[in-house]
């Protein structure tokens, strides 16, 4: 009886389980986003402005996939915590069962006996009665944990169906967007590229800085007037790709090289868009940078983007804000990779990098002067 009382007191004093984020709700919200994106894709394919509709659809898929990854990460983390807690309580449960079995096998006269006499037996009974609600609460908490872990495992299994459909959907949306961009012939043309002069500029420059600085010298007879001044949007423009800052302006990389731009970590095949209305001054391979896109939002201001694999549009075209300029490279994760990354705590899901350099009056400035982003 004393052992039972000590055990019950220990249970009543045990600290409650810490509050957790709700992975089930997170994953359910993500599944809703993915289903909405799938429905949106069918409408986007037949929309009058297919490029705009498909751009929104691709971004909806990307947002939903990000949310699903987070939901699976939370589910895997929570399941791991519950598993450890339940394992740690195996001893408590075994001790309780042993004591209860001992009591159940003891004859009634023995149960009524107490070393301190009848008064001690009464006090012990009162303590047991007081501890019973605590024991019941802990038993209910244990049952809820077991049920929650079962639900989390079921959630991770059913999420694979949502992911499979979404991964097919986003690939379909990207293909449809590429075709819609190829079919789009009505964008304003500010100037026509002179390929010879462009080739001469490329061959005569050795740095990205020098190339960007020479662009203004190879375009003449622009058909459209200057674009609107965007000075009022300074510091508020969205990043061209969804991601996080890996390196800020002036920070040295692993080789000790400092660059004037910022480096953004993005997911494979992420959509890159123009942050504001801008003219494509150049796009294509350049030096050892791979594909480069140079946008001109207004006179004497250039946004230089490097790291894309697929390019959209033509040199000289004026693109509206939020219009696609290309896709990041890399291979999209398969379902087993996503689930594995979730179980391992997320993994490196942002495997691609977009470098952004901003030039004002032919000099590099900190891109975060123009773009709204987490600067930590």
């Amino acid at each position: 009886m004393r052992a039972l009382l000590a055990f019950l007191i220990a249970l009543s004093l045990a600290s409650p389980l810490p509050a957790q984020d709700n992975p089930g709700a997170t994953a359910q919200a993500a599944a809703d986003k993915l289903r909405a994106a799938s429905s949106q894709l069918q409408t986007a394919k037949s929309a009058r402005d297919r490029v705009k509709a498909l751009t929104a659809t691709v971004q909806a898929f990307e947002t939903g996939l990000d949310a699903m990854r987070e939901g699976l990460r939370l589910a895997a983390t929570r399941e791991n915590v519950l598993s450890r807690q339940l394992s740690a309580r195996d001893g408590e449960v075994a001790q309780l069962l042993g004591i209860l079995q001992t009591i159940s096998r003891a004859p009634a006269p023995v149960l009524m006996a107490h070393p301190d006499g009848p008064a001690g037996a009464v006090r012990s009974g009162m303590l047991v009665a007081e501890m019973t609600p605590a024991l019941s609460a802990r038993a209910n908490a244990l049952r809820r944990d077991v049920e929650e872990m079962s639900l989390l495992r079921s959630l991770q299994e059913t999420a694979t169906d949502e992911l499979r459909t979404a991964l097919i959907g986003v690939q379909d949306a990207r293909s449809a967007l590429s075709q819609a961009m190829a079919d789009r012939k009505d964008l304003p043309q500010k100037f026509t590229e002179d390929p010879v002069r462009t080739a001469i500029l490329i061959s005569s420059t050795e740095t990205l800085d020098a190339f960007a600085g020479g662009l203004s010298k190879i375009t003449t007879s622009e058909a459209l007037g200057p674009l609107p001044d965007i000075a009022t949007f300074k510091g508020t423009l969205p990043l061209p790709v969804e991601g996080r800052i890996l390196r800020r302006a002036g920070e040295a990389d692993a080789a000790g090289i400092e660059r004037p731009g910022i480096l953004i970590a993005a997911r494979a095949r992420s959509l890159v868009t123009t942050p504001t209305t801008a003219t494509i001054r150049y796009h294509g391979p350049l030096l050892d940078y791979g594909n480069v896109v140079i946008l001109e939002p207004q006179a004497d201001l250039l946004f230089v983007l490097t790291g894309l694999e697929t390019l959209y549009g033509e040199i000289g075209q004026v693109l509206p804000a939020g219009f696609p300029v290309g896709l990041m490279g890399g291979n999209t994760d398969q379902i087993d990779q996503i689930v594995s990354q979730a179980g391992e705590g997320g993994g490196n899901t942002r495997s691609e990098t977009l470098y952004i350099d901003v030039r004002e009056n032919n000099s590099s400035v900190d891109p975060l002067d123009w773009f709204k982003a987490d600067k930590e």
Side-chain angles (χ1 to χ4, degrees), residues 12-37:
S12 67
L13 295 177
S15 58
L17 295 178
Q20 300 286 336
D21 292 334
N22 189 337
T26 301
Q28 182 58 52
D32 292 341
K33 290 180 180 178
L34 291 175
R35 284 192 289 270

Side-chain angles (χ1 to χ4, degrees), residues 79-290:
E79 182 186 356
N80 190 31
V81 170
L82 287 173
S83 179
R84 290 199 304 269
Q85 290 176 339
L86 290 173
S87 296
R89 278 182 278 175
D90 283 347
E92 294 179 2
V93 175
Q95 184 180 0
L96 175 60
L97 290 176
I99 293 173
L100 292 177
Q101 288 174 355
T102 300
I103 293 175
S104 65
R105 289 195 299 266
V110 175
L111 292 176
M112 296 299 296
H114 194 279
D116 296 332
V122 171
R123 286 195 297 271
S124 296
M126 293 173 64
L127 285 173
V128 170
E130 291 177 0
M131 292 298 108
T132 297
L135 177 62
S136 177
R138 294 292 291 178
N140 289 335
L142 179 65
R143 183 177 62 253
R144 287 194 300 270
D145 287 348
V146 172
E147 292 174 350
E148 182 182 357
M149 191 161 70
S150 177
L151 288 174
L152 290 173
R153 288 177 178 172
S154 176
L155 167 67
Q156 293 175 77
E157 292 172 359
T158 56
T160 59
D161 293 333
E162 299 287 351
L163 285 170
R164 183 177 293 106
T165 301
L167 290 173
I168 294 173
V170 72
Q171 291 170 2
D172 190 12
R174 287 175 183 140
S175 297
L177 177 58
S178 296
Q179 185 59 53
M181 285 297 299
D183 296 339
R184 185 77 181 257
K185 304 298 182 183
D186 59 343
L187 290 171
Q189 194 82 19
K190 189 170 185 179
F191 66 89
T192 301
E193 179 195 13
D194 185 335
V196 174
R197 298 179 70 183
T198 301
I200 293 174
L201 177 62
I202 292 175
S203 64
S204 63
T205 55
E206 298 180 355
T207 65
L208 177 62
D209 186 74
F211 179 80
L215 277 178
S216 60
K217 303 174 183 178
I218 64 170
T219 56
T220 57
S221 303
E222 298 191 356
L224 300 177
L227 296 179
D229 188 350
I230 62 167
T232 56
F233 299 110
K234 195 169 185 177
T236 66
L237 295 177
L239 289 171
V241 69
E242 192 281 324
R244 60 183 179 84
I245 298 177
L246 277 182
R247 192 160 54 247
R248 290 178 290 179
E251 288 185 345
D253 60 15
I257 300 174
E258 298 179 1
R259 291 184 172 86
I262 60 175
L263 195 66
I264 306 297
R267 300 194 188 281
R269 308 300 293 164
S270 291
L271 186 64
V272 183
T273 59
T274 177
T276 184
T277 300
T279 304
I280 301 179
R281 279 292 173 180
Y282 175 81
H283 77 171
L286 180 65
L287 303 175
D288 59 350
Y289 293 98

Side-chain angles (χ1 to χ4, degrees), residues 34-47 53-54 56-58 60-61 165-166 168-177:
L34 291 175
R35 284 192 289 270
S38 295
S39 300
Q40 185 176 337
L41 176 58
Q42 303 308 314
T43 303
K45 288 180 177 179
S46 59
L54 287 167
T57 300
V58 171
F61 270 117
T165 301
I168 294 173
V170 72
Q171 291 170 2
D172 190 12
R174 287 175 183 140
S175 297
L177 177 58

Side-chain angles (χ1 to χ4, degrees), residues 284-301:
L286 180 65
L287 303 175
D288 59 350
Y289 293 98
N291 282 329
V292 174
V293 176
I294 300 181
L295 303 173
E296 185 183 55
Q298 64 184 38
D300 298 321
L301 177 63

